[in-house]
Amino acid sequence: MDHPINEMELSSDSSDYNHQNIEKSTLRRLVREKKERDRHEMAKELEDIKKKLEKQYDPELDKRKEFIERKLRPKFVETSTNTINNAVEEQNNDDNFAECLLFLGNDPTIENFIEFVENTKNVNLEQFDEFLLLNLAENIKEGLNEAGLVISTLSLYFKYLKQGGVSLLRKLSESLKDESKKRIFDDECRKYYEDSKQALLSLKDTRGELR
């Protein structure tokens, strides 16, 4: 079956086709959809490889597994919080925050987050939380849903940290060992991300109307 795009007939004098904004948005959507399809196929291949490796070890398959796992690892869009005043200090903070985000993003488990909070002494956690929110907005703009979902999870950890400190995080960690409660928390993370996305899109639409 031909791809629907191949079946489209575009008139040379079509105003929609010549409209630059529509063309860009369409291309972005198509690229995003292709990336999602590719990631889905790679995830399926990864599961198949894992099953084969469980039955019999194969060094080539193991290399392929590591390659796919690296490719599927969420990527983050780093955003700057620099201001004109104290620019050097702000840049140092951004660099430090970016490293922290990459560290937590590669293993966004609550156990890793608790260890990060307890062992991190030279990072302003309040500012880092703000950095996460800015980064979440950038990921939403770029359509990086997986990375955005990871950041949403980290933001929820911060929410619990503010509410009850590390002790509440430890209680949450214990409760997440229950599969049903883990599913509830995962749903909460997805809702947080979708709500953030909707809020950003609504703000964007409002600004567009004001122009």
Side-chain angles (χ1 to χ4, degrees), residues 36-160:
E36 289 177 356
R37 286 197 303 272
D38 290 345
R39 291 183 68 83
H40 178 75
E41 291 174 2
M42 292 184 76
K44 186 176 183 302
E45 181 185 356
L46 180 61
E47 287 302 312
D48 291 339
I49 289 175
K50 286 181 177 179
K51 290 177 182 178
K52 291 178 181 178
L53 287 174
E54 286 178 359
K55 295 179 180 178
Q56 183 177 355
Y57 178 76
D58 184 314
E60 291 300 319
L61 277 180
D62 195 44
K63 287 182 181 178
R64 176 64 179 170
K65 179 178 78 73
E66 292 178 358
F67 171 78
I68 294 177
E69 287 175 339
R70 285 196 301 271
K71 295 288 287 184
L72 291 179
R73 189 174 298 157
K75 296 179 176 61
F76 299 97
V77 176
E78 295 178 12
T79 182
S80 175
T81 57
N82 285 350
T83 57
I84 296 176
N85 297 326
N86 302 321
V88 174
E89 181 180 353
E90 291 286 347
Q91 182 61 55
N92 289 337
N93 281 340
D94 283 350
D95 292 342
N96 199 8
F97 291 161
E99 290 180 6
C100 292
L101 175 55
L102 290 173
F103 170 75
L104 291 171
N106 285 329
D107 181 18
T109 60
I110 191 166
E111 291 80 13
N112 191 43
F113 184 81
I114 291 173
E115 183 179 352
F116 167 78
V117 171
E118 290 183 326
N119 296 330
T120 301
K121 306 299 181 185
N122 61 338
V123 174
N124 185 311
L125 294 179
E126 286 288 338
Q127 291 180 6
F128 180 52
D129 190 19
E130 293 176 4
F131 178 83
L132 283 181
L133 295 177
L134 289 171
N135 205 289
L136 176 59
E138 289 299 317
N139 277 275
I140 290 173
K141 290 177 185 176
E142 294 292 327
L144 299 175
N145 293 325
E146 188 174 358
L149 186 57
V150 169
I151 295 175
S152 296
T153 302
L154 298 177
S155 293
L156 281 180
Y157 291 158
F158 266 109
K159 173 186 172 183
Y160 283 99

Side-chain angles (χ1 to χ4, degrees), residues 1-55:
M1 179 179 178
D2 292 334
H3 192 282
I5 296 175
N6 297 329
E7 298 171 3
M8 291 173 60
E9 294 183 4
L10 297 176
S11 170
S12 60
D13 60 352
S14 168
S15 59
D16 286 346
Y17 179 72
N18 291 325
H19 195 295
Q20 187 176 7
N21 290 333
I22 293 177
E23 182 182 4
K24 282 184 178 180
S25 64
T26 301
L27 285 174
R28 284 182 178 177
R29 177 176 59 80
L30 293 175
V31 169
R32 185 162 59 247
E33 289 176 354
K34 182 182 183 303
K35 286 182 178 179
E36 289 177 356
R37 286 197 303 272
D38 290 345
R39 291 183 68 83
H40 178 75
E41 291 174 2
M42 292 184 76
K44 186 176 183 302
E45 181 185 356
L46 180 61
E47 287 302 312
D48 291 339
I49 289 175
K50 286 181 177 179
K51 290 177 182 178
K52 291 178 181 178
L53 287 174
E54 286 178 359
K55 295 179 180 178

Side-chain angles (χ1 to χ4, degrees), residues 136-187:
L136 176 59
E138 289 299 317
N139 277 275
I140 290 173
K141 290 177 185 176
E142 294 292 327
L144 299 175
N145 293 325
E146 188 174 358
L149 186 57
V150 169
I151 295 175
S152 296
T153 302
L154 298 177
S155 293
L156 281 180
Y157 291 158
F158 266 109
K159 173 186 172 183
Y160 283 99
L161 178 65
K162 291 175 182 177
Q163 289 177 349
V166 174
S167 60
L168 183 57
L169 286 176
R170 291 193 182 282
K171 290 180 181 178
L172 176 62
S173 176
E174 282 299 315
S175 69
L176 293 182
K177 293 177 182 178
D178 184 311
E179 284 298 322
S180 61
K181 293 180 179 178
K182 178 69 165 59
R183 284 194 295 270
I184 292 173
F185 181 76
D186 289 342
D187 288 341

